[in-house]
Amino acid sequence: MSDEKRKPTPEEKAAAAAEARAKAEGLRKLREQEAQATQEPQEEVSAPEVKPVSEMTPEEKAAAKKAAAAEAIAKAKAAKEAKEAAEVEAPVAEQQSEAVAPPAKPVSEMTPEEKAAAKKAAAAEAIAKAKAAKEQAEASPPPAKPVSEMTPEEKAAAKKAAAAEALAKAKAAKEVKEAAENGADTTDLAPDADAKAKAAAAAKAKAAAAAAAKAKAAREAGGDESGDDDAKAKAAAAAKAKAAAAAAAKAKTSQATGDEAPAEEAPKAPSKNQPYLDKYVSRISEAFGQEVIEASYINELAKEVPTLTIQNERWHQIAQFLKDDEQLSFEYLSDLHGVDYEDRLEVYYHFYSYKNRQSLAVKVKTSREDSKVASVMDLWHGANWNERETFDLLGIHFPGHKDLRRILLPDDWVGYPLRKDYVQYDEEV
């Protein structure tokens, strides 16, 4: 890079500022010497006596007030410039040992050239100080401010910055993990990723702080009229911080588990009872045709039991086949009950084969108006009371049953209590 395009370093700027001050002081001394050489010896002119205010004319009073105001402004300006110069020279004095700041001279005694030189030197020192402070801030982050001392805007900005930093760290860790899984060397990758995450978090924190400062300035400038806008800004900042925190928590959870949630659900593995279901369907279809089986599936809500829905008209024949077929041999009926689905009624059977150590569930549908399902009492005697109870509470008739009558309620009871449209006929006792 050429010398013309290279930016000066803080040391060079400080040296330039010191040189400017030295030139200004030399110019001042030179002017004083010239004035003394050309001035004729004369008696010291004493300052004119101050006339009492009561003796002044209106014009003299106005002139005196104007002079006093000008002097006060000049003194205040000189004090401010001296203070700024002192603050600027503090860090610069550590870098240069030979540069000694000249004693501050009142602005009222400076010539126009000295004032211009002093302003130029102060500006150069201010730029050097700002750059040094920026480098120091980048080298070490500023101490955290207690939450109790933060303004609402600063709290929102701090929350947003923390969430952004957490999200950036999670993303960087994920990149490192993916690189490691791909066989890449992650020895130097982790620090770079961490640095990127910190830089991104710092940028977001800076933007959030700027937004908070802007909102605070707008509130102070607008007074009470900007109350609604300030409330909206706080609400928006809180919502953004909450969303960022949620995203960071989600990323952290994904990172902890190792993988992100799959985009599509993986297909489920076949049930261990699927071969049994295929066997039942095959045997019944060979004997009666496929049309007698209205549905077949694995009931995952009932211990994955193989389940069949059989045609009502062919049910008794198929029940006989389930018991007598050597490959099926369902000699035990463990359960029989009815269900009201409002648009239909169903009878549910659960069989078990001690020979094959296998289970089977069967459903048979019937209408609500003419509810009939063939009785299996002649095949499994245990169906006697179950069919009577189903008839008593749901009103399903079982043609072929030898003694179908109510088992819980009296014979003159009106209606079937387990039907969903049941209305009690008798008055409550």
Side-chain angles (χ1 to χ4, degrees), residues 101-159:
K105 183 179 181 181
V107 180
S108 59
E109 298 179 4
M110 290 184 179
T111 63
E113 291 79 4
E114 292 174 347
K115 290 181 180 180
K119 287 183 178 180
K120 188 174 181 181
E125 292 177 2
I127 294 174
K129 180 183 177 183
K131 186 173 182 181
K134 183 179 179 181
E135 293 176 353
Q136 184 178 2
E138 292 176 353
S140 60
K145 187 177 182 181
V147 179
S148 58
E149 299 178 4
M150 290 184 179
T151 62
E153 292 80 5
E154 291 175 341
K155 289 181 181 179
K159 288 182 180 179

Side-chain angles (χ1 to χ4, degrees), residues 31 99 112 165 204 372:
R31 290 183 177 277
E165 184 177 358
K204 291 186 177 180
K372 294 180 181 180

